[in-house]
Amino acid sequence: MLELISEHVCYGGVQRFYRHDADAIGLPMRFSVFIPPAPAGALLPALFYLAGLTCNEETFMTKAGAQRVAAREGLMLIAPDTSPRGAKLDGDCASWDLGVGAGFYVDATEPPWNAHYRMFSYIVELQQLVVAELGADPARIGICGHSMGGHGALVLALRRPDLFRSVSAFAPIAAPSRCPWGEKAFGAYLGADRAAWAGYDASALMAGLRAPFPQGILIDQGLGDKFLAEQLHPEAFEAACKLAGQRLALRRHAGYDHGYYFIASFIEEHLRFHRENLG
């Protein structure tokens, strides 16, 4: 059951914030949705946006400036939270890159995280919820994300192309098995066996596929991003796409950093990319 927290008229549509009991998490979760102006009962194309470390369901909706374009394009936007809240696990608030605000969109297998940190399954659950309750067209849903959320978007799309028909990312953690953020999170959530990490590593997943998104994948990366060299590794995903015969537009932009000024600069192009591919 959806609990409406707040509602705001926005560009002729409506911006809403919801809470609901999430089966995959075992706790209440929050998400936001922008519903563009549309005839009553219309099935709408939709885009999931997965946010990065320390963010929540409000970050994208308040910082990216996406609603203006989404209203024009007739595109629903959905932004989930980035982790469970209120699990009260030992250590879940000890650092900014593990635990609260840092779910990494994986289903944890290691205690204590496996009790509630099942973000991969939660995104799948939320996709089904917005189809059933909010009028998203199940045949026209894409996924996008930033940083940790870019990692999540790529992995969700590659593992569940039946649910997500288009994919893009901003500065994704493209090879988490080989960067400090990913090694810390995967080691805690998934355990020491690195073979188990491959199922949540977009570069590893892509290398075993054959052009899963023939319409292409769009990634934007700022060259002024302080995390680029150590944490993001877009060149690994680029090499995996070449191996898989996957069309990839990896656009590198001089001067842009890792933040939302970068995202706001190119969000219109991402929304148009998804709208064109979703039909």
Side-chain angles (χ1 to χ4, degrees):
M1 179 178 177
L2 291 178
E3 175 190 353
L4 182 63
I5 299 170
S6 65
E7 181 176 87
H8 316 272
V9 175
C10 184
Y11 290 105
V14 61
Q15 175 67 56
R16 294 175 180 164
F17 295 88
Y18 286 105
R19 181 189 295 113
H20 71 115
D21 292 328
D23 293 338
I25 302 297
L27 293 167
M29 291 288 289
R30 295 188 182 210
F31 70 95
S32 60
V33 58
F34 173 72
I35 302 175
L43 286 178
L44 296 172
L47 179 65
F48 273 69
Y49 176 89
L50 307 186
L53 290 164
T54 75
C55 296
N56 59 28
E57 75 283 356
E58 297 183 7
T59 310
F60 174 71
M61 296 301 188
T62 58
K63 289 186 174 184
Q67 293 95 331
R68 175 184 60 84
V69 181
R72 185 189 68 210
E73 298 291 338
L75 186 64
M76 181 186 294
L77 303 175
I78 303 102
D81 202 350
T82 54
S83 77
R85 308 277 170 169
K88 299 180 181 178
L89 303 178
D90 288 344
D92 68 355
C93 291
S95 60
W96 63 274
D97 55 359
L98 183 70
V100 173
F104 266 84
Y105 305 100
V106 305
D107 284 351
T109 57
E110 297 296 301
W113 309 103
N114 57 348
H116 298 291
Y117 277 69
R118 297 178 49 79
M119 288 298 294
F120 183 95
S121 290
Y122 172 66
I123 301 303
V124 172
E125 177 183 339
L126 186 59
Q127 191 269 1
Q128 296 166 352
L129 181 65
V130 298
V131 167
E133 299 291 338
L134 297 177
D137 185 342
R140 295 189 294 163
I141 298 179
I143 192 165
C144 176
H146 169 234
S147 192
M148 176 186 73
H151 138 74
L154 293 172
V155 169
L156 262 295
L158 293 176
R159 289 182 55 167
R160 294 303 305 265
D162 56 319
L163 300 182
F164 301 105
R165 301 288 299 276
S166 61
V167 57
S168 71
F170 294 92
I173 304 173
S177 297
R178 62 180 88 172
C179 76
W181 281 340
E183 289 176 337
K184 180 177 181 178
F186 285 10
Y189 295 143
L190 304 174
D193 182 4
R194 286 177 171 259
W197 300 6
Y200 294 105
D201 186 309
S203 295
L205 286 169
M206 180 60 77
L209 299 174
R210 184 65 186 170
F213 286 89
Q215 73 272 35
I217 294 172
L218 173 62
I219 293 177
D220 279 309
Q221 175 63 60
L223 295 181
D225 189 327
K226 66 181 180 180
F227 302 115
L228 176 56
E230 184 178 28
Q231 302 284 11
L232 304 181
H233 299 299
E235 72 284 350
F237 189 72
E238 187 175 39
C241 285
K242 184 175 181 180
L243 184 66
Q246 171 63 55
R247 289 176 53 205
L248 171 68
L250 174 52
R251 309 190 304 184
R252 296 170 168 92
H253 305 279
Y256 285 91
D257 62 19
H258 198 68
Y260 269 81
Y261 295 114
F262 163 56
I263 294 169
S265 298
F266 299 103
I267 190 62
E268 179 168 358
E269 294 171 54
H270 280 250
L271 297 189
R272 290 173 59 191
F273 168 82
H274 286 278
R275 189 66 179 88
E276 289 168 5
N277 283 298
L278 294 173

